[in-house]
Amino acid sequence: MRRTGMAAIALVMLACACAPAEVDEPRLPVASVRSTQFSPPPPPVTDTVPTAEQLTNLLAASLNYAIPEDDRARLFDGPVERNVSLARAWGAQPNPQHIDFTTVEPAGPDAVNASGQGHLGNIEPYPVGPIPFVRWDNEWKVSRAFACGFVGAFDGHDACA
């Protein structure tokens, strides 16, 4: 009886495993909604004269690949569509330095120069500047001419075409 009981249990298990499964309606693919890993761009700087901290954040954001390319393109003066390739090349620096601006000086109508300290890896902080910023469309931006000169000196000649 013991063998018969085991055989019956095995037969029931086998029958359950082989029985046709209920047919469900085909499922539509489900989109998984997750928050993006992108960082938001900084708020526009619209003060009459920007602060050193505002320009520090603006420059850092322009180099930050965690911010979408189109948003970084808006951080340079000029039309956004002209600045997308510049934003790509500008942010692609292999070891971007971090700059903390400490002074902002007027450089003409709708223009300022910022100076401060650069930080790169374990190197002692070093003086940086002046770096030009311009007021375009009532917002302070990284100077496109400055950024184009910088990336053009390396390999981004097409970035500002």
Side-chain angles (χ1 to χ4, degrees):
M1 180 83 168
R2 188 171 187 184
R3 280 191 173 165
T4 311
M6 292 294 232
I9 291 173
L11 186 58
V12 169
M13 289 176 62
L14 184 61
C16 290
C18 294
E22 291 181 25
V23 177
D24 289 333
E25 292 293 319
R27 292 185 181 188
L28 295 174
V30 177
S32 175
V33 178
R34 296 182 185 174
S35 63
T36 64
Q37 294 183 12
F38 285 115
S39 299
V45 179
T46 58
D47 297 358
T48 303
V49 177
T51 66
E53 182 180 3
Q54 287 172 319
L55 296 181
T56 295
N57 293 336
L58 178 59
L59 184 68
S62 73
L63 294 164
N64 185 350
Y65 255 40
I67 296 174
E69 202 169 78
D70 286 347
D71 289 334
R72 285 186 294 113
R74 288 180 179 86
L75 302 178
F76 300 93
D77 63 293
V80 172
E81 57 277 359
R82 271 187 64 207
N83 292 332
V84 173
S85 59
L86 172 58
R88 185 178 308 124
W90 178 251
Q93 298 174 32
N95 293 311
Q97 61 184 323
H98 175 76
I99 297 174
D100 287 313
F101 292 117
T102 54
T103 61
V104 177
E105 297 176 353
D110 296 328
V112 296
N113 286 329
S115 298
Q117 288 193 324
H119 306 269
L120 180 64
N122 294 329
I123 299 173
E124 288 291 318
Y126 47 90
V128 173
I131 295 179
F133 291 84
V134 296
R135 189 176 179 98
W136 190 81
D137 219 15
N138 207 31
E139 292 179 19
W140 287 98
K141 310 281 185 168
V142 176
S143 166
R144 184 177 199 283
F146 172 79
C148 285
F150 187 85
V151 298
F154 294 97
D155 61 351
H157 296 289
D158 295 335
C160 295

